[in-house]
Amino acid sequence: MTGKAKPHTLSCAPRTPLTGGLFALLRASAEADPDGAAILCGEAVVRHAQLAEDVARLSRALTALGLDKGARLGVWGRKTTQAVTAFLAAAAAGAVFFPVDPNQPPDVVRAVLERLRPAVLCVAAEFLPALEALFPGPRPFAVAVMDGPATGGLPCLRDLAAGPYPEALPEVGPDDPVYLNFTSGTTGAPKGAVTTLGNLLANTEASVSAFGLTPDDVHLCMMPVFVHPHETLLRPLALGGPMVLCDRVSAKAVATACRRHKVTALMAVAAIYETLLRLPAGADNPLATVRVAESGGMHVPAALAAGLARRFGTAILPVWGSTETTGVALANRPGEAHAPCRLGRPVPGYVVRVLDEDGNDARDGEPGELVISGPGVCPGYFGEEPRPEFRLFGGRFRTGDIVRREADGAYFFAGRQSMLLKVGGMKVFPVEIEEALRAHPDVAECIVVPVADALRGEAAKAVAVPRTGATLSPGELRRYLATRLHRMKMPRVIEIRDALPRTPGGKIAWRALA
């Protein structure tokens, strides 16, 4: 790099529209540090000036294919430099990006495309046969190939990005949608949250402030494109630093990317950190340069936090975020000690309440539903008319998560409303049972789910995975828990498995276990 770009100062809700929306970030970095690395992907390096020029030219070409302001651009591919460029080109054109999950069955992919009706679909070459099978006749959208040369009469992004520079870019205001961010689908059919420019800037600025991120940070961007397209992507763009793309979430791939590029900030789910702990012992510490290690999307067991600190010297930072809040809304800060189930404090701009069963504010120490509001909360779901009784309405999101607020302003996770057990009238939070199970030295990971019980209405079912080389039995775990849990909290069923089922984003697919 020839220098470092200064952090950009963008209001969470700009009073005037930005030319090209997110393109303002690219242009600022290109002007401040044209030769600085914007994207690192394996051995490939994309410089700030090159990225800004490719995005601008591609936006013009996509517009010529029919991608007008407000139209939708679909991307059916993996996490590559082309996917990032397509995302930013759509934003520069004032269009709305949405990802296609390549792990979905063909009929689901077709239903998504028919429902969202993209003006242009960017497809990785490996998925062209699948696209042809889904739409063998005339397609209702233009198609561009994301990688490789043009094929079958279809243009490729590389050639499109070499076309003329646009005479002008549209202005994008804070309420204009930038992309559709889909829920994970672990609690029902995925929905596309309409994410605006104002939402993106609010969440990015809040995260930068909460974690003390700087232009010197190197961000590992490993979440699939269809999970959170922006979360770690926009932070480096806003700061003028580099993002490292890692399309695979295997322990080896993550460790290699961290070592090669000296990553300082990353976000992952707890399961990915678990796989890092299982790496063979070696001389090199893959997390040696990491100073901000966020973990969201699922509970962080105390044993995992202790294991990372002991082996790698890494302090894990549990956070709470969601699709509907455009990412992180609660976070532990660097330097704060880990405590079981501690979600931390609200990040700047987010307003957090805990409501009891009657809809009133719960007192400190009492559990209630977590409700989030503020400029980072999405306005609604695509194709769904907003209504006050919906969880997401009017800048407020009723999360369905049960938390408690302590007197020092920190929030603690208790469980999800959908996972809360009522055993003989007693409220039982699965996370408490999971923490007890994880304290067993031979348990690598576990989850507790509710099951029907004829006598008590509901009961707990525990599914545990043994550590490598260890053996477990339901009887052994039952004896272990007997001295640690109230008898009403004891799992009625204990099951031992080699692995837990997971979503493509790494979360545990708990419904498959219930």
Side-chain angles (χ1 to χ4, degrees), residues 20-22 59 62-63 66-74 86-98 118-120 170-172 176-180 195-197 200:
L22 297 178
S59 71
L62 293 174
T63 299
L67 191 70
D68 299 322
K69 182 176 180 180
R72 287 179 287 282
L73 174 84
F87 171 81
L88 294 170
V96 183
F97 169 96
F98 73 87
V120 181
E171 292 187 334
V172 182
D176 286 331
V178 175
Y179 75 97
L180 302 178
T195 311
T196 67
L197 177 62
L200 291 172

PDB file of all heavy atoms in Angstrom, residues 20-22 59 62-63 66-74 86-98 118-120 170-172 176-180 195-197 200:
ATOM      1  N   GLY A  20     -24.592   8.020  -6.291  1.00  0.00           N
ATOM      2  CA  GLY A  20     -24.216   6.614  -6.393  1.00  0.00           C
ATOM      3  C   GLY A  20     -24.318   5.857  -5.089  1.00  0.00           C
ATOM      4  O   GLY A  20     -23.876   4.703  -5.006  1.00  0.00           O
ATOM      5  N   GLY A  21     -24.876   6.469  -4.040  1.00  0.00           N
ATOM      6  CA  GLY A  21     -25.026   5.767  -2.766  1.00  0.00           C
ATOM      7  C   GLY A  21     -23.689   5.329  -2.203  1.00  0.00           C
ATOM      8  O   GLY A  21     -22.820   6.152  -1.898  1.00  0.00           O
ATOM      9  N   LEU A  22     -23.489   4.018  -2.076  1.00  0.00           N
ATOM     10  CA  LEU A  22     -22.254   3.491  -1.509  1.00  0.00           C
ATOM     11  C   LEU A  22     -21.034   3.794  -2.365  1.00  0.00           C
ATOM     12  O   LEU A  22     -19.896   3.682  -1.902  1.00  0.00           O
ATOM     13  CB  LEU A  22     -22.378   1.971  -1.327  1.00  0.00           C
ATOM     14  CG  LEU A  22     -23.463   1.511  -0.359  1.00  0.00           C
ATOM     15  CD1 LEU A  22     -23.508  -0.011  -0.317  1.00  0.00           C
ATOM     16  CD2 LEU A  22     -23.246   2.081   1.027  1.00  0.00           C
ATOM     17  N   SER A  59     -21.630  -0.532 -13.456  1.00  0.00           N
ATOM     18  CA  SER A  59     -22.966   0.012 -13.184  1.00  0.00           C
ATOM     19  C   SER A  59     -23.596   0.545 -14.469  1.00  0.00           C
ATOM     20  O   SER A  59     -24.800   0.363 -14.706  1.00  0.00           O
ATOM     21  CB  SER A  59     -22.900   1.104 -12.124  1.00  0.00           C
ATOM     22  OG  SER A  59     -22.292   2.275 -12.626  1.00  0.00           O
ATOM     23  N   LEU A  62     -24.623  -2.507 -16.625  1.00  0.00           N
ATOM     24  CA  LEU A  62     -25.812  -3.173 -16.097  1.00  0.00           C
ATOM     25  C   LEU A  62     -27.063  -2.338 -16.344  1.00  0.00           C
ATOM     26  O   LEU A  62     -28.146  -2.882 -16.614  1.00  0.00           O
ATOM     27  CB  LEU A  62     -25.639  -3.446 -14.599  1.00  0.00           C
ATOM     28  CG  LEU A  62     -24.563  -4.476 -14.232  1.00  0.00           C
ATOM     29  CD1 LEU A  62     -24.391  -4.545 -12.715  1.00  0.00           C
ATOM     30  CD2 LEU A  62     -24.905  -5.851 -14.784  1.00  0.00           C
ATOM     31  N   THR A  63     -26.913  -1.022 -16.260  1.00  0.00           N
ATOM     32  CA  THR A  63     -28.044  -0.140 -16.570  1.00  0.00           C
ATOM     33  C   THR A  63     -28.472  -0.331 -18.019  1.00  0.00           C
ATOM     34  O   THR A  63     -29.666  -0.362 -18.333  1.00  0.00           O
ATOM     35  CB  THR A  63     -27.670   1.320 -16.301  1.00  0.00           C
ATOM     36  OG1 THR A  63     -27.351   1.469 -14.908  1.00  0.00           O
ATOM     37  CG2 THR A  63     -28.822   2.251 -16.650  1.00  0.00           C
ATOM     38  N   GLY A  66     -30.777  -3.069 -18.510  1.00  0.00           N
ATOM     39  CA  GLY A  66     -32.117  -2.925 -17.951  1.00  0.00           C
ATOM     40  C   GLY A  66     -32.166  -2.678 -16.462  1.00  0.00           C
ATOM     41  O   GLY A  66     -33.260  -2.624 -15.876  1.00  0.00           O
ATOM     42  N   LEU A  67     -31.006  -2.525 -15.803  1.00  0.00           N
ATOM     43  CA  LEU A  67     -30.980  -2.331 -14.352  1.00  0.00           C
ATOM     44  C   LEU A  67     -31.150  -0.845 -14.032  1.00  0.00           C
ATOM     45  O   LEU A  67     -30.187  -0.137 -13.738  1.00  0.00           O
ATOM     46  CB  LEU A  67     -29.667  -2.865 -13.768  1.00  0.00           C
ATOM     47  CG  LEU A  67     -29.625  -2.955 -12.242  1.00  0.00           C
ATOM     48  CD1 LEU A  67     -30.552  -4.052 -11.744  1.00  0.00           C
ATOM     49  CD2 LEU A  67     -28.195  -3.213 -11.757  1.00  0.00           C
ATOM     50  N   ASP A  68     -32.375  -0.381 -14.079  1.00  0.00           N
ATOM     51  CA  ASP A  68     -32.665   1.011 -13.741  1.00  0.00           C
ATOM     52  C   ASP A  68     -32.687   1.192 -12.229  1.00  0.00           C
ATOM     53  O   ASP A  68     -32.664   0.218 -11.461  1.00  0.00           O
ATOM     54  CB  ASP A  68     -34.019   1.421 -14.328  1.00  0.00           C
ATOM     55  CG  ASP A  68     -34.033   1.319 -15.852  1.00  0.00           C
ATOM     56  OD1 ASP A  68     -33.003   1.652 -16.462  1.00  0.00           O
ATOM     57  OD2 ASP A  68     -35.068   0.894 -16.401  1.00  0.00           O
ATOM     58  N   LYS A  69     -32.758   2.458 -11.799  1.00  0.00           N
ATOM     59  CA  LYS A  69     -32.846   2.729 -10.370  1.00  0.00           C
ATOM     60  C   LYS A  69     -34.093   2.064  -9.790  1.00  0.00           C
ATOM     61  O   LYS A  69     -35.192   2.183 -10.334  1.00  0.00           O
ATOM     62  CB  LYS A  69     -32.889   4.234 -10.101  1.00  0.00           C
ATOM     63  CG  LYS A  69     -32.924   4.554  -8.609  1.00  0.00           C
ATOM     64  CD  LYS A  69     -32.870   6.039  -8.322  1.00  0.00           C
ATOM     65  CE  LYS A  69     -32.907   6.271  -6.804  1.00  0.00           C
ATOM     66  NZ  LYS A  69     -32.869   7.705  -6.444  1.00  0.00           N
ATOM     67  N   GLY A  70     -33.913   1.348  -8.667  1.00  0.00           N
ATOM     68  CA  GLY A  70     -35.015   0.655  -8.012  1.00  0.00           C
ATOM     69  C   GLY A  70     -35.244  -0.750  -8.524  1.00  0.00           C
ATOM     70  O   GLY A  70     -35.959  -1.530  -7.888  1.00  0.00           O
ATOM     71  N   ALA A  71     -34.639  -1.104  -9.702  1.00  0.00           N
ATOM     72  CA  ALA A  71     -34.761  -2.474 -10.210  1.00  0.00           C
ATOM     73  C   ALA A  71     -33.869  -3.401  -9.388  1.00  0.00           C
ATOM     74  O   ALA A  71     -33.029  -2.956  -8.608  1.00  0.00           O
ATOM     75  CB  ALA A  71     -34.388  -2.516 -11.688  1.00  0.00           C
ATOM     76  N   ARG A  72     -34.024  -4.710  -9.599  1.00  0.00           N
ATOM     77  CA  ARG A  72     -33.290  -5.666  -8.777  1.00  0.00           C
ATOM     78  C   ARG A  72     -32.226  -6.414  -9.584  1.00  0.00           C
ATOM     79  O   ARG A  72     -32.457  -6.791 -10.743  1.00  0.00           O
ATOM     80  CB  ARG A  72     -34.264  -6.657  -8.131  1.00  0.00           C
ATOM     81  CG  ARG A  72     -35.078  -6.010  -7.015  1.00  0.00           C
ATOM     82  CD  ARG A  72     -36.065  -6.970  -6.397  1.00  0.00           C
ATOM     83  NE  ARG A  72     -37.204  -7.242  -7.264  1.00  0.00           N
ATOM     84  CZ  ARG A  72     -38.239  -6.426  -7.430  1.00  0.00           C
ATOM     85  NH1 ARG A  72     -38.283  -5.261  -6.793  1.00  0.00           N
ATOM     86  NH2 ARG A  72     -39.241  -6.749  -8.223  1.00  0.00           N
ATOM     87  N   LEU A  73     -31.078  -6.599  -8.920  1.00  0.00           N
ATOM     88  CA  LEU A  73     -29.982  -7.383  -9.482  1.00  0.00           C
ATOM     89  C   LEU A  73     -29.804  -8.625  -8.625  1.00  0.00           C
ATOM     90  O   LEU A  73     -29.533  -8.526  -7.423  1.00  0.00           O
ATOM     91  CB  LEU A  73     -28.678  -6.587  -9.485  1.00  0.00           C
ATOM     92  CG  LEU A  73     -27.442  -7.385  -9.924  1.00  0.00           C
ATOM     93  CD1 LEU A  73     -27.355  -7.401 -11.450  1.00  0.00           C
ATOM     94  CD2 LEU A  73     -26.164  -6.824  -9.342  1.00  0.00           C
ATOM     95  N   GLY A  74     -29.945  -9.808  -9.219  1.00  0.00           N
ATOM     96  CA  GLY A  74     -29.699 -11.050  -8.502  1.00  0.00           C
ATOM     97  C   GLY A  74     -28.280 -11.528  -8.741  1.00  0.00           C
ATOM     98  O   GLY A  74     -27.739 -11.350  -9.841  1.00  0.00           O
ATOM     99  N   ALA A  86     -20.222  -6.727  -8.227  1.00  0.00           N
ATOM    100  CA  ALA A  86     -21.615  -6.682  -8.681  1.00  0.00           C
ATOM    101  C   ALA A  86     -22.505  -6.017  -7.637  1.00  0.00           C
ATOM    102  O   ALA A  86     -23.393  -5.218  -7.974  1.00  0.00           O
ATOM    103  CB  ALA A  86     -22.110  -8.091  -8.988  1.00  0.00           C
ATOM    104  N   PHE A  87     -22.291  -6.354  -6.367  1.00  0.00           N
ATOM    105  CA  PHE A  87     -23.059  -5.736  -5.281  1.00  0.00           C
ATOM    106  C   PHE A  87     -22.898  -4.218  -5.305  1.00  0.00           C
ATOM    107  O   PHE A  87     -23.877  -3.462  -5.241  1.00  0.00           O
ATOM    108  CB  PHE A  87     -22.586  -6.311  -3.950  1.00  0.00           C
ATOM    109  CG  PHE A  87     -23.141  -5.616  -2.727  1.00  0.00           C
ATOM    110  CD1 PHE A  87     -24.411  -5.914  -2.254  1.00  0.00           C
ATOM    111  CD2 PHE A  87     -22.394  -4.674  -2.046  1.00  0.00           C
ATOM    112  CE1 PHE A  87     -24.926  -5.278  -1.133  1.00  0.00           C
ATOM    113  CE2 PHE A  87     -22.895  -4.030  -0.922  1.00  0.00           C
ATOM    114  CZ  PHE A  87     -24.163  -4.336  -0.464  1.00  0.00           C
ATOM    115  N   LEU A  88     -21.655  -3.750  -5.405  1.00  0.00           N
ATOM    116  CA  LEU A  88     -21.389  -2.318  -5.364  1.00  0.00           C
ATOM    117  C   LEU A  88     -21.845  -1.628  -6.648  1.00  0.00           C
ATOM    118  O   LEU A  88     -22.270  -0.466  -6.619  1.00  0.00           O
ATOM    119  CB  LEU A  88     -19.899  -2.081  -5.128  1.00  0.00           C
ATOM    120  CG  LEU A  88     -19.395  -2.550  -3.759  1.00  0.00           C
ATOM    121  CD1 LEU A  88     -17.875  -2.500  -3.683  1.00  0.00           C
ATOM    122  CD2 LEU A  88     -20.009  -1.715  -2.651  1.00  0.00           C
ATOM    123  N   ALA A  89     -21.775  -2.332  -7.775  1.00  0.00           N
ATOM    124  CA  ALA A  89     -22.263  -1.756  -9.027  1.00  0.00           C
ATOM    125  C   ALA A  89     -23.774  -1.559  -8.990  1.00  0.00           C
ATOM    126  O   ALA A  89     -24.305  -0.551  -9.484  1.00  0.00           O
ATOM    127  CB  ALA A  89     -21.866  -2.643 -10.202  1.00  0.00           C
ATOM    128  N   ALA A  90     -24.478  -2.522  -8.397  1.00  0.00           N
ATOM    129  CA  ALA A  90     -25.922  -2.366  -8.242  1.00  0.00           C
ATOM    130  C   ALA A  90     -26.230  -1.152  -7.379  1.00  0.00           C
ATOM    131  O   ALA A  90     -27.131  -0.361  -7.684  1.00  0.00           O
ATOM    132  CB  ALA A  90     -26.523  -3.626  -7.631  1.00  0.00           C
ATOM    133  N   ALA A  91     -25.475  -0.984  -6.273  1.00  0.00           N
ATOM    134  CA  ALA A  91     -25.681   0.168  -5.401  1.00  0.00           C
ATOM    135  C   ALA A  91     -25.394   1.469  -6.134  1.00  0.00           C
ATOM    136  O   ALA A  91     -26.115   2.465  -5.977  1.00  0.00           O
ATOM    137  CB  ALA A  91     -24.794   0.046  -4.162  1.00  0.00           C
ATOM    138  N   ALA A  92     -24.335   1.483  -6.961  1.00  0.00           N
ATOM    139  CA  ALA A  92     -23.983   2.692  -7.705  1.00  0.00           C
ATOM    140  C   ALA A  92     -25.062   3.051  -8.719  1.00  0.00           C
ATOM    141  O   ALA A  92     -25.282   4.230  -9.020  1.00  0.00           O
ATOM    142  CB  ALA A  92     -22.642   2.503  -8.416  1.00  0.00           C
ATOM    143  N   ALA A  93     -25.748   2.043  -9.253  1.00  0.00           N
ATOM    144  CA  ALA A  93     -26.820   2.275 -10.216  1.00  0.00           C
ATOM    145  C   ALA A  93     -28.141   2.623  -9.544  1.00  0.00           C
ATOM    146  O   ALA A  93     -29.144   2.862 -10.221  1.00  0.00           O
ATOM    147  CB  ALA A  93     -26.987   1.039 -11.103  1.00  0.00           C
ATOM    148  N   GLY A  94     -28.150   2.629  -8.202  1.00  0.00           N
ATOM    149  CA  GLY A  94     -29.398   2.892  -7.483  1.00  0.00           C
ATOM    150  C   GLY A  94     -30.336   1.712  -7.499  1.00  0.00           C
ATOM    151  O   GLY A  94     -31.534   1.855  -7.230  1.00  0.00           O
ATOM    152  N   ALA A  95     -29.807   0.518  -7.808  1.00  0.00           N
ATOM    153  CA  ALA A  95     -30.628  -0.687  -7.886  1.00  0.00           C
ATOM    154  C   ALA A  95     -30.607  -1.425  -6.550  1.00  0.00           C
ATOM    155  O   ALA A  95     -29.952  -1.011  -5.590  1.00  0.00           O
ATOM    156  CB  ALA A  95     -30.119  -1.586  -9.008  1.00  0.00           C
ATOM    157  N   VAL A  96     -31.315  -2.549  -6.506  1.00  0.00           N
ATOM    158  CA  VAL A  96     -31.454  -3.336  -5.279  1.00  0.00           C
ATOM    159  C   VAL A  96     -30.850  -4.720  -5.512  1.00  0.00           C
ATOM    160  O   VAL A  96     -31.301  -5.466  -6.376  1.00  0.00           O
ATOM    161  CB  VAL A  96     -32.930  -3.470  -4.863  1.00  0.00           C
ATOM    162  CG1 VAL A  96     -33.045  -4.239  -3.550  1.00  0.00           C
ATOM    163  CG2 VAL A  96     -33.576  -2.099  -4.741  1.00  0.00           C
ATOM    164  N   PHE A  97     -29.827  -5.042  -4.742  1.00  0.00           N
ATOM    165  CA  PHE A  97     -29.135  -6.323  -4.841  1.00  0.00           C
ATOM    166  C   PHE A  97     -29.877  -7.384  -4.037  1.00  0.00           C
ATOM    167  O   PHE A  97     -30.422  -7.104  -2.974  1.00  0.00           O
ATOM    168  CB  PHE A  97     -27.714  -6.133  -4.289  1.00  0.00           C
ATOM    169  CG  PHE A  97     -26.928  -7.393  -4.072  1.00  0.00           C
ATOM    170  CD1 PHE A  97     -26.038  -7.850  -5.027  1.00  0.00           C
ATOM    171  CD2 PHE A  97     -27.044  -8.112  -2.887  1.00  0.00           C
ATOM    172  CE1 PHE A  97     -25.286  -9.002  -4.813  1.00  0.00           C
ATOM    173  CE2 PHE A  97     -26.304  -9.263  -2.659  1.00  0.00           C
ATOM    174  CZ  PHE A  97     -25.427  -9.708  -3.636  1.00  0.00           C
ATOM    175  N   PHE A  98     -29.894  -8.617  -4.546  1.00  0.00           N
ATOM    176  CA  PHE A  98     -30.326  -9.734  -3.709  1.00  0.00           C
ATOM    177  C   PHE A  98     -29.511 -10.961  -4.091  1.00  0.00           C
ATOM    178  O   PHE A  98     -29.168 -11.166  -5.257  1.00  0.00           O
ATOM    179  CB  PHE A  98     -31.829 -10.010  -3.814  1.00  0.00           C
ATOM    180  CG  PHE A  98     -32.280 -10.654  -5.100  1.00  0.00           C
ATOM    181  CD1 PHE A  98     -32.279 -12.039  -5.261  1.00  0.00           C
ATOM    182  CD2 PHE A  98     -32.725  -9.874  -6.158  1.00  0.00           C
ATOM    183  CE1 PHE A  98     -32.707 -12.627  -6.437  1.00  0.00           C
ATOM    184  CE2 PHE A  98     -33.148 -10.455  -7.351  1.00  0.00           C
ATOM    185  CZ  PHE A  98     -33.140 -11.829  -7.498  1.00  0.00           C
ATOM    186  N   PRO A 118     -35.772 -10.236 -11.025  1.00  0.00           N
ATOM    187  CA  PRO A 118     -34.637  -9.353 -11.274  1.00  0.00           C
ATOM    188  C   PRO A 118     -34.658  -8.807 -12.700  1.00  0.00           C
ATOM    189  O   PRO A 118     -35.145  -9.471 -13.622  1.00  0.00           O
ATOM    190  CB  PRO A 118     -33.431 -10.271 -11.060  1.00  0.00           C
ATOM    191  CG  PRO A 118     -33.938 -11.635 -11.398  1.00  0.00           C
ATOM    192  CD  PRO A 118     -35.364 -11.650 -10.903  1.00  0.00           C
ATOM    193  N   ALA A 119     -34.114  -7.611 -12.861  1.00  0.00           N
ATOM    194  CA  ALA A 119     -33.907  -7.087 -14.213  1.00  0.00           C
ATOM    195  C   ALA A 119     -32.694  -7.766 -14.834  1.00  0.00           C
ATOM    196  O   ALA A 119     -32.663  -8.041 -16.037  1.00  0.00           O
ATOM    197  CB  ALA A 119     -33.711  -5.578 -14.165  1.00  0.00           C
ATOM    198  N   VAL A 120     -31.685  -8.025 -13.985  1.00  0.00           N
ATOM    199  CA  VAL A 120     -30.458  -8.682 -14.433  1.00  0.00           C
ATOM    200  C   VAL A 120     -30.079  -9.738 -13.393  1.00  0.00           C
ATOM    201  O   VAL A 120     -30.194  -9.501 -12.188  1.00  0.00           O
ATOM    202  CB  VAL A 120     -29.293  -7.677 -14.596  1.00  0.00           C
ATOM    203  CG1 VAL A 120     -28.035  -8.396 -15.085  1.00  0.00           C
ATOM    204  CG2 VAL A 120     -29.679  -6.547 -15.554  1.00  0.00           C
ATOM    205  N   PRO A 170     -26.915   7.968 -10.367  1.00  0.00           N
ATOM    206  CA  PRO A 170     -28.112   8.488  -9.700  1.00  0.00           C
ATOM    207  C   PRO A 170     -27.836   8.853  -8.252  1.00  0.00           C
ATOM    208  O   PRO A 170     -26.898   8.357  -7.634  1.00  0.00           O
ATOM    209  CB  PRO A 170     -29.089   7.316  -9.794  1.00  0.00           C
ATOM    210  CG  PRO A 170     -28.215   6.108  -9.861  1.00  0.00           C
ATOM    211  CD  PRO A 170     -27.007   6.523 -10.646  1.00  0.00           C
ATOM    212  N   GLU A 171     -28.656   9.735  -7.730  1.00  0.00           N
ATOM    213  CA  GLU A 171     -28.572  10.057  -6.309  1.00  0.00           C
ATOM    214  C   GLU A 171     -29.402   9.046  -5.522  1.00  0.00           C
ATOM    215  O   GLU A 171     -30.506   8.685  -5.924  1.00  0.00           O
ATOM    216  CB  GLU A 171     -29.071  11.479  -6.055  1.00  0.00           C
ATOM    217  CG  GLU A 171     -28.161  12.554  -6.632  1.00  0.00           C
ATOM    218  CD  GLU A 171     -28.605  13.940  -6.218  1.00  0.00           C
ATOM    219  OE1 GLU A 171     -29.814  14.114  -5.937  1.00  0.00           O
ATOM    220  OE2 GLU A 171     -27.753  14.844  -6.182  1.00  0.00           O
ATOM    221  N   VAL A 172     -28.845   8.607  -4.411  1.00  0.00           N
ATOM    222  CA  VAL A 172     -29.506   7.606  -3.571  1.00  0.00           C
ATOM    223  C   VAL A 172     -29.696   8.204  -2.186  1.00  0.00           C
ATOM    224  O   VAL A 172     -28.731   8.658  -1.558  1.00  0.00           O
ATOM    225  CB  VAL A 172     -28.675   6.309  -3.485  1.00  0.00           C
ATOM    226  CG1 VAL A 172     -29.406   5.267  -2.638  1.00  0.00           C
ATOM    227  CG2 VAL A 172     -28.397   5.761  -4.872  1.00  0.00           C
ATOM    228  N   ASP A 176     -33.799   4.895   0.356  1.00  0.00           N
ATOM    229  CA  ASP A 176     -33.754   4.045  -0.836  1.00  0.00           C
ATOM    230  C   ASP A 176     -33.181   2.673  -0.470  1.00  0.00           C
ATOM    231  O   ASP A 176     -32.138   2.581   0.189  1.00  0.00           O
ATOM    232  CB  ASP A 176     -32.887   4.682  -1.924  1.00  0.00           C
ATOM    233  CG  ASP A 176     -33.574   5.858  -2.595  1.00  0.00           C
ATOM    234  OD1 ASP A 176     -34.819   5.853  -2.658  1.00  0.00           O
ATOM    235  OD2 ASP A 176     -32.869   6.784  -3.054  1.00  0.00           O
ATOM    236  N   PRO A 177     -33.828   1.578  -0.911  1.00  0.00           N
ATOM    237  CA  PRO A 177     -33.295   0.246  -0.610  1.00  0.00           C
ATOM    238  C   PRO A 177     -32.017  -0.030  -1.387  1.00  0.00           C
ATOM    239  O   PRO A 177     -31.878   0.372  -2.547  1.00  0.00           O
ATOM    240  CB  PRO A 177     -34.425  -0.700  -1.032  1.00  0.00           C
ATOM    241  CG  PRO A 177     -35.220   0.076  -2.026  1.00  0.00           C
ATOM    242  CD  PRO A 177     -35.108   1.515  -1.638  1.00  0.00           C
ATOM    243  N   VAL A 178     -31.086  -0.707  -0.740  1.00  0.00           N
ATOM    244  CA  VAL A 178     -29.819  -1.092  -1.366  1.00  0.00           C
ATOM    245  C   VAL A 178     -29.798  -2.593  -1.634  1.00  0.00           C
ATOM    246  O   VAL A 178     -29.304  -3.033  -2.662  1.00  0.00           O
ATOM    247  CB  VAL A 178     -28.623  -0.680  -0.489  1.00  0.00           C
ATOM    248  CG1 VAL A 178     -27.305  -1.192  -1.069  1.00  0.00           C
ATOM    249  CG2 VAL A 178     -28.569   0.840  -0.340  1.00  0.00           C
ATOM    250  N   TYR A 179     -30.302  -3.384  -0.711  1.00  0.00           N
ATOM    251  CA  TYR A 179     -30.368  -4.820  -0.962  1.00  0.00           C
ATOM    252  C   TYR A 179     -31.436  -5.463  -0.104  1.00  0.00           C
ATOM    253  O   TYR A 179     -31.956  -4.867   0.843  1.00  0.00           O
ATOM    254  CB  TYR A 179     -29.010  -5.490  -0.767  1.00  0.00           C
ATOM    255  CG  TYR A 179     -28.540  -5.684   0.649  1.00  0.00           C
ATOM    256  CD1 TYR A 179     -28.722  -6.890   1.315  1.00  0.00           C
ATOM    257  CD2 TYR A 179     -27.850  -4.678   1.320  1.00  0.00           C
ATOM    258  CE1 TYR A 179     -28.258  -7.091   2.599  1.00  0.00           C
ATOM    259  CE2 TYR A 179     -27.384  -4.867   2.611  1.00  0.00           C
ATOM    260  CZ  TYR A 179     -27.587  -6.072   3.242  1.00  0.00           C
ATOM    261  OH  TYR A 179     -27.128  -6.258   4.512  1.00  0.00           O
ATOM    262  N   LEU A 180     -31.761  -6.696  -0.464  1.00  0.00           N
ATOM    263  CA  LEU A 180     -32.680  -7.515   0.309  1.00  0.00           C
ATOM    264  C   LEU A 180     -31.838  -8.520   1.077  1.00  0.00           C
ATOM    265  O   LEU A 180     -31.115  -9.323   0.486  1.00  0.00           O
ATOM    266  CB  LEU A 180     -33.669  -8.242  -0.608  1.00  0.00           C
ATOM    267  CG  LEU A 180     -34.522  -7.349  -1.516  1.00  0.00           C
ATOM    268  CD1 LEU A 180     -35.431  -8.214  -2.404  1.00  0.00           C
ATOM    269  CD2 LEU A 180     -35.358  -6.375  -0.702  1.00  0.00           C
ATOM    270  N   THR A 195     -33.339  -3.482   3.063  1.00  0.00           N
ATOM    271  CA  THR A 195     -32.269  -2.784   3.766  1.00  0.00           C
ATOM    272  C   THR A 195     -31.908  -1.521   3.007  1.00  0.00           C
ATOM    273  O   THR A 195     -31.519  -1.587   1.834  1.00  0.00           O
ATOM    274  CB  THR A 195     -31.035  -3.691   3.903  1.00  0.00           C
ATOM    275  OG1 THR A 195     -31.438  -4.969   4.413  1.00  0.00           O
ATOM    276  CG2 THR A 195     -30.009  -3.074   4.839  1.00  0.00           C
ATOM    277  N   THR A 196     -32.035  -0.378   3.657  1.00  0.00           N
ATOM    278  CA  THR A 196     -31.842   0.908   2.999  1.00  0.00           C
ATOM    279  C   THR A 196     -30.423   1.433   3.183  1.00  0.00           C
ATOM    280  O   THR A 196     -29.652   0.940   4.008  1.00  0.00           O
ATOM    281  CB  THR A 196     -32.821   1.951   3.558  1.00  0.00           C
ATOM    282  OG1 THR A 196     -32.471   2.220   4.935  1.00  0.00           O
ATOM    283  CG2 THR A 196     -34.265   1.454   3.491  1.00  0.00           C
ATOM    284  N   LEU A 197     -30.113   2.482   2.423  1.00  0.00           N
ATOM    285  CA  LEU A 197     -28.814   3.133   2.573  1.00  0.00           C
ATOM    286  C   LEU A 197     -28.648   3.665   3.990  1.00  0.00           C
ATOM    287  O   LEU A 197     -27.586   3.522   4.604  1.00  0.00           O
ATOM    288  CB  LEU A 197     -28.675   4.272   1.561  1.00  0.00           C
ATOM    289  CG  LEU A 197     -27.376   5.086   1.650  1.00  0.00           C
ATOM    290  CD1 LEU A 197     -26.165   4.216   1.376  1.00  0.00           C
ATOM    291  CD2 LEU A 197     -27.423   6.274   0.690  1.00  0.00           C
ATOM    292  N   LEU A 200     -27.747   0.822   6.367  1.00  0.00           N
ATOM    293  CA  LEU A 200     -26.371   0.370   6.197  1.00  0.00           C
ATOM    294  C   LEU A 200     -25.373   1.322   6.847  1.00  0.00           C
ATOM    295  O   LEU A 200     -24.452   0.898   7.546  1.00  0.00           O
ATOM    296  CB  LEU A 200     -26.052   0.221   4.714  1.00  0.00           C
ATOM    297  CG  LEU A 200     -26.773  -0.922   3.992  1.00  0.00           C
ATOM    298  CD1 LEU A 200     -26.513  -0.839   2.495  1.00  0.00           C
ATOM    299  CD2 LEU A 200     -26.330  -2.268   4.520  1.00  0.00           C
TER     300      LEU A 200
END
